[in-house]
Amino acid sequence: MKLLLIEDEPSVISLIQRSLSASGHEITVAMDGQSGLEMALRHAFDIIILDLMLPVINGMEVCRRLRNAQSITPILMLTALGTTENIVSGLDAGADDYMTKPFKLAELEARLRTLARRGKEPEKEKNQDLLVLGDLVLDKVTKTVKRKGQLIDLTATEFRLLEYLLNNTNRVLNRMEILENVWDINFNLGTNVVDVYINYLRKKINKDHPVKLIHTVFGMGYVIRETYEDPK
């Protein structure tokens, strides 16, 4: 699994890194709430391990902001504060599970496995109407699109185009495929409507974000994926 550990205690970081890396997991570490929040919004992780007491932004606020940004990544909260009030507050903020320090590494791994299964099965069914790529969320029921929690105004055609791209994340799509699936198989194939609408959508989705999502693959078509490259 790809895990994001947001923790500021070096001894805890070292312990968790050694244990989880030995189990084959990929660990990314952030040592304060602000950098952890930014990493969680910019990159895709299977689970976030989040300490409660953090510098800059505390774990409770990080959790709230992630959920307000429509992040559905499972969050396991870690803290030395194990009272019922603290646990309830953490779960109310959007955490999926809660562990108090000190903890056994075997229990931590068991909790992570449970969260991973939950994310693949019931949560997937629960959120089947959401298409998510990084901090971009498309809701097929409400017909809304948000990036970092900010609503993006799309036309009906732009929405259908983005939905088709997200259903084929990381796959390069040629113009014919896009025309047949977003417009109609009998649409005038000589038109540059795909290029025009890709540009419309790119301006709205990529604008003012360091991580670009919609890209041209020259001579082949278009693809939606996370990358820091900004193709011209």
Side-chain angles (χ1 to χ4, degrees):
M1 290 185 288
K2 289 182 65 176
L3 307 173
L4 173 60
L5 173 61
I6 309 177
E7 168 67 66
D8 66 324
E9 293 184 40
S11 59
V12 175
I13 293 171
S14 177
L15 185 66
I16 291 177
Q17 273 189 313
R18 286 201 309 270
S19 175
L20 297 184
S21 295
S23 297
H25 303 300
E26 180 182 332
I27 318 297
T28 299
V29 177
M31 296 189 68
D32 65 78
Q34 181 64 49
S35 59
L37 177 62
E38 291 173 359
M39 287 182 187
L41 290 173
R42 289 180 179 177
H43 306 286
F45 294 96
D46 295 307
I47 297 175
I48 297 170
I49 304 171
L50 176 64
D51 186 38
L52 186 60
M53 304 299 290
L54 292 167
V56 189
I57 303 176
N58 66 52
M60 203 76 75
E61 184 61 22
V62 170
C63 191
R64 288 195 191 95
R65 293 190 190 184
L66 285 173
R67 294 313 185 216
N68 288 339
Q70 308 300 315
S71 171
I72 59 172
T73 304
I75 296 174
L76 173 62
M77 194 168 278
L78 298 178
T79 183
L81 306 174
T83 67
T84 300
E85 181 180 355
N86 291 128
I87 294 172
V88 170
S89 296
L91 296 176
D92 283 347
D96 297 274
D97 202 355
Y98 203 101
M99 286 188 68
T100 56
K101 299 176 182 178
F103 52 83
K104 294 182 179 179
L105 290 171
E107 182 182 357
L108 173 61
E109 291 203 54
R111 298 283 189 97
L112 292 175
R113 287 193 296 270
T114 298
L115 284 177
R117 286 195 299 270
R118 190 185 305 168
K120 290 177 181 177
E121 295 167 4
E123 282 301 311
K124 183 177 180 180
E125 293 177 11
K126 180 180 177 182
N127 294 290
Q128 61 184 343
D129 293 317
L130 296 180
L131 295 175
V132 181
L133 176 62
D135 54 12
L136 177 70
V137 180
L138 180 148
D139 190 322
K140 291 187 282 186
V141 174
T142 62
K143 303 297 183 186
T144 57
V145 173
K146 294 181 180 180
R147 188 156 190 200
K148 285 192 175 179
Q150 298 298 311
L151 194 65
I152 299 173
D153 185 27
L154 299 182
T155 66
T157 301
E158 289 168 346
F159 185 91
R160 288 198 308 272
L161 175 56
L162 180 60
E163 183 177 0
Y164 181 61
L165 291 173
L166 287 170
N167 278 323
N168 293 276
T169 298
N170 295 320
R171 179 181 166 219
V172 178
L173 302 165
N174 62 45
R175 290 170 179 80
M176 181 70 75
E177 289 176 296
I178 296 172
L179 272 175
E180 291 179 357
N181 287 277
V182 178
W183 280 270
D184 185 274
I185 193 169
N186 296 315
F187 199 87
N188 180 4
L189 301 181
T191 181
N192 67 341
V193 66
V194 172
D195 308 83
V196 170
Y197 271 87
I198 285 286
N199 285 332
Y200 288 161
L201 199 56
R202 193 190 337 246
K203 288 176 181 177
K204 293 184 178 183
I205 300 300
N206 286 355
K207 185 180 179 182
D208 299 326
H209 292 282
V211 179
K212 308 305 178 184
L213 299 180
I214 300 174
H215 310 278
T216 301
V217 180
F218 295 105
M220 299 180 68
Y222 300 98
V223 63
I224 189 166
R225 63 186 173 212
E226 288 185 281
T227 175
Y228 279 91
E229 295 178 4
D230 187 6
K232 302 299 182 182

